[in-house]
Amino acid sequence: MSMSSSPEPQKLSTQDIVRFDRVGLRYGRGPEVLSDIDLSLRAGTFNFLTGPSGAGKSTLLKLVYLALQPSRGLVSLFGQDISRLPEKSLGDMRRQIGVVWQDFSLIDHLSVYANVALPLRVQGAAPQTYDRNVRELLDWVGLGQRLDASPRTLSGGEKQRAAIARAVISKPKILIADEPTGNVDPEIGHRLIRLFGEMNRMGTTVLIATHDRGLIDQVPARVLHLQDARLYEEVPS
Amino acid sequence: MSAASHKSKAEPLLPIDKAAERPLWVVLIIMAFLAALALLSARMGDRNYSALQSELAGTATLQLKGLTPNNRLDIAQQALSLIETTAPNVNAQRVNDADAAALIEPWIGSNVNNLPSGITLPVLISLSNSTASEREALARAFNAAAISAVIDDHSEWSSDLTRASRAFTIGSYLILGLTFFAGTAATIFSVQSAMSAQSKTIAVFAQVGTADNFIARLFIVRAIKVGAAAAIIGALGALLFLALFRVLRGPSENGLLPSLTPTLFDIVMLGALCLVFALVCAVAAGVSAKQILSRSRLYT
């Protein structure tokens, strides 16, 4: 993908993009699915979150994405305590976060093109300002011939690529992905990781939840491991 | 602009489910129809009332009493002379016997030439362009001349008419308000249903950082379109209904039936009603959508 139309790379900052202090989360009255989590993601870093199925990786991502509230502890995003976040700031903050969920969350009545352009469209951008970027990005993820297709007609891998394209189109400060290569063949998976790497080189903080060790080995990155509701950092061997 | 970007712009962010919207259309059209009828009724009632009041202003009916068949015409002549001298500005005209007989026909029947003994066909004198002080002066003059006469200035009838007209106008506007209320309720219910049906789409909007106002605006725009179209259909239906009613009722031969012809200003008011109706739907949709989004924030 050509990044010629991208803005100037953001300056790396030592500021924490995401910070968790003794965060705990439970659903209803159940046991804590996350317990005493301390986490700091610095601007411009590439991070993997790994752990067995059901360890709480998706839950942790949802906390980062403001889709869940912690039961205890402090979550701050871009230096702001989210529990004190004014309601009207929620949209602004989410626009700085690109998300790729496991279920892709594509809108079936919109074309692939419109799904990918959605984050820009809802910000009020004129179509002519983003048309080229959307087309280039879709070409790059291998969906250049499926612009007008409905997500219903896409394969699992194509849906995932469309979801990734939508997550990165607005050049977010942080990119969160939940098992992004789960449904794609190795070649596409490799391309996606390159895309994430390119976003990261431009200053985007990346957090990818995966249990694909092959994927983790492709990129020199910080690896966080979730197990038994607690978070550990893997020390490179 | 490329074809794809043009297509993207044309793609509605919220799908239009025509089948699901049909009940809303029906309810809004009926509400707009009733609102338009209520508005037209209020305006026409008010106009007819004003016309009648204007007709009644300055008029009175003078009834000569204690007459016999032999003296009724002489006394009538004396009365007319007395009116001319006492209140020269007042127009006085004797009601002819046929019209007077028609007035008392409900009580004595149509055979006025064969009235029971002791009953004489009354002499009525219609007064117009009279003021209250002139009528009082006439009453004193008739008293002084020993002519038994009653002057009815129609004030009781006018007062009844005012009360009836006021009640009718208030009732019409209340019905108008109720129809707006019902239209608002239908719109809110429809927005709630649509948001529930589109919860997945709305969650995705939230995920990509869409502001609540933007999402609410999607429902507002749809509500304006549906509300305006339903209001126009309803208003046209009301005009058609009125035209049909006029045909069925027939012409007003004696001028007592109210006029049902809308004026140009009535049509302008109907246009304003359509606009207000659409705006009320839009406000209802916007407030409802924002409340739901606010309740379901932050954590989807």
Side-chain angles (χ1 to χ4, degrees), chain A residues 15-17 19 66 74-86 89 92-93 96:
Chain A
Q15 191 193 354
D16 287 334
I17 289 282
R19 185 174 181 86
L66 306 171
L74 176 80
V75 174
S76 61
L77 206 55
F78 311 118
Q80 268 191 281
D81 175 359
I82 65 156
S83 66
R84 296 180 183 187
L85 190 66
S89 303
D92 293 339
M93 196 159 274
Q96 300 177 62

Side-chain angles (χ1 to χ4, degrees), chain B residues 142-153:
Chain B
F142 276 94
N143 202 26
I147 298 174
S148 177
V150 173
I151 300 175
D152 175 9
D153 63 0

Side-chain angles (χ1 to χ4, degrees), chain A residues 26-229:
Chain A
R26 68 175 78 238
Y27 290 107
R29 296 186 176 192
E32 280 197 327
V33 290
L34 295 175
S35 183
D36 286 329
I37 304 288
D38 288 319
L39 168 68
S40 109
L41 298 182
R42 301 224 153 181
T45 56
F46 200 119
N47 308 270
F48 283 113
L49 178 63
T50 185
S53 292
K57 298 190 293 293
S58 299
T59 301
L60 192 145
L61 294 188
K62 284 182 179 177
L63 279 170
V64 175
Y65 176 62
L66 306 171
L68 284 175
Q69 216 174 8
S71 309
R72 62 186 175 85
L74 176 80
V75 174
S76 61
L77 206 55
F78 311 118
Q80 268 191 281
D81 175 359
I82 65 156
S83 66
R84 296 180 183 187
L85 190 66
E87 196 170 326
K88 61 183 178 185
S89 303
L90 184 65
D92 293 339
M93 196 159 274
R94 278 184 170 159
R95 281 197 282 275
Q96 300 177 62
I97 310 169
V99 192
V100 185
W101 293 124
Q102 270 178 313
D103 68 355
F104 318 124
S105 293
L106 295 171
I107 298 174
D108 285 343
H109 67 267
L110 295 179
S111 66
V112 168
Y113 178 98
N115 264 283
V116 173
L118 184 66
L120 302 170
R121 191 173 166 189
V122 300
Q123 286 178 49
Q128 58 269 32
T129 64
Y130 59 71
D131 182 55
R132 190 172 150 220
N133 281 1
V134 173
R135 286 165 172 278
E136 279 184 356
L137 184 57
L138 281 169
D139 268 343
W140 207 86
V141 297
L143 292 174
Q145 303 303 311
R146 309 297 309 270
L147 296 183
D148 296 330
S150 161
R152 284 194 204 94
T153 65
L154 301 183
S155 67
E158 287 174 325
K159 284 181 183 174
Q160 197 155 29
R161 280 178 274 154
I164 289 167
R166 189 181 62 195
V168 301
I169 189 67
S170 57
K171 302 178 182 76
K173 282 186 183 168
I174 180 167
L175 179 64
I176 299 166
D178 197 357
E179 302 288 358
T181 57
N183 292 305
V184 296
D185 60 48
E187 164 59 20
I188 295 291
H190 186 68
R191 274 181 163 209
L192 294 177
I193 289 302
R194 269 179 53 209
L195 172 64
F196 291 153
E198 201 159 341
M199 295 292 295
N200 178 241
R201 275 189 294 281
M202 291 170 62
T204 304
T205 306
V206 177
L207 176 61
I208 298 174
T210 182
H211 45 331
D212 180 353
R213 290 306 309 191
L215 185 68
I216 294 171
D217 293 341
Q218 280 183 38
V219 185
R222 182 185 182 202
V223 181
L224 302 161
H225 188 79
L226 251 182
Q227 188 144 18
D228 300 329

